[in-house]
Amino acid sequence: MSILQIRAAVKILIDLYRAFVKNLPLSVRPCACGHPFRHRHGSYERYVVVGVWQETLSILRLKCPRCKGTEALVPHFMPRHSPYPWILRQEALCAYAEGDKGYRPTAATWEVDWQTLWRWARELARRLPAITGALLQGLLAAPGWPSERALQALTTVVAEHPVPRARAPTREVLRRYLAPACAAALEMWQAGTLRGLSWGAPDPQHALAFLMAVAALSRPT
């Protein structure tokens, strides 16, 4: 994808989110405490940034009248504490991992500061080995979810020797783990959709977003 295509895709996602919160479905109204309904509880503003283009997005909050707990309905295409959508991160990180250019020329293509791309890459490279291992364990514990091809690819990556050393180059780690982990995440997404979960059709453009959502859910509490 080009930066212009990403910008157009994000504009569509913003419109879909605004329509979603305007006609909020009952399926997101129940609270984890068991109360069947949560009220609208204001909103806060966030910037969405893709290169030189940016837009303000209102994030809806819900509040439970029983437990008084609140939750912000952050759209799936946005990280919780960053204005840069996942789709932009995915394209930039994959371009860096699979290419031979440094941070500066890669970042220039996607209209972000090279320090920002460096930070994304380092953070993801530190987490990817553990995320990949946890993803494989989850898939092995759910027979029939992934295809044999995806399982084999992920198993090969996890079992490959030597394991990246503690200070392995960031590109080396991303090149080894990122594509197989995203492919396996899409397999899980597809399997969940076929089993009736309300995830929608898997979208390769949002593979990293789905992978990081799975990783967040699998963190120990």
Side-chain angles (χ1 to χ4, degrees):
M1 297 182 73
S2 69
I3 190 69
L4 293 178
Q5 290 172 318
I6 292 176
R7 196 171 296 153
V10 171
K11 289 180 180 179
I12 292 173
L13 290 169
I14 288 175
D15 289 341
L16 290 173
Y17 176 79
R18 286 171 173 161
F20 170 79
V21 298
K22 182 178 180 180
N23 303 288
L24 199 62
L26 294 177
S27 58
V28 301
R29 292 287 195 170
C31 181
C33 76
H35 193 73
F37 192 82
R38 291 179 295 175
H39 302 285
R40 293 175 182 267
H41 188 61
S43 62
Y44 64 91
E45 303 297 311
R46 279 191 59 178
Y47 283 109
V48 182
V49 177
V50 180
V52 297
W53 173 84
Q54 67 180 30
E55 176 126 353
T56 303
L57 181 62
S58 294
I59 307 299
L60 177 66
R61 297 184 65 86
L62 297 178
K63 183 174 182 178
C64 175
R66 176 194 287 172
C67 71
K68 310 303 180 184
T70 61
E71 180 186 6
L73 299 184
V74 179
H76 74 278
F77 59 90
M78 293 295 297
R80 282 197 166 267
H81 304 292
S82 171
Y84 301 101
W86 282 115
I87 186 173
L88 174 63
R89 289 193 185 207
Q90 178 175 316
E91 292 293 329
L93 287 167
C94 287
Y96 174 72
E98 297 166 5
D100 56 4
K101 296 180 180 179
Y103 287 113
R104 292 177 186 271
T106 304
T109 300
W110 304 105
E111 298 182 4
V112 296
D113 294 334
W114 73 267
Q115 297 96 331
T116 299
L117 177 60
W118 176 84
R119 186 171 61 253
W120 293 346
R122 290 296 300 272
E123 178 185 352
L124 186 60
R126 283 197 298 266
R127 297 186 60 194
L128 260 181
I131 289 173
T132 304
L135 179 61
L136 178 59
Q137 290 181 358
L139 292 175
L140 289 173
W145 275 61
S147 69
E148 288 299 323
R149 176 181 54 79
L151 261 184
Q152 184 60 45
L154 208 58
T155 302
T156 300
V157 169
V158 172
E160 189 177 274
H161 296 286
V163 174
R165 57 194 182 279
R167 294 186 177 273
T170 297
R171 197 198 306 265
E172 175 186 326
V173 178
L174 293 179
R175 187 170 288 169
R176 172 173 167 179
Y177 288 98
L178 183 56
C182 284
L186 287 172
E187 293 274 355
M188 176 180 282
W189 188 346
Q190 173 70 18
T193 299
L194 292 176
R195 282 162 174 75
L197 300 180
S198 57
W199 292 351
D203 186 343
Q205 296 177 2
H206 298 285
L208 181 60
F210 186 84
L211 176 64
M212 300 310 290
V214 171
L217 291 174
S218 64
R219 283 182 182 177
T221 57

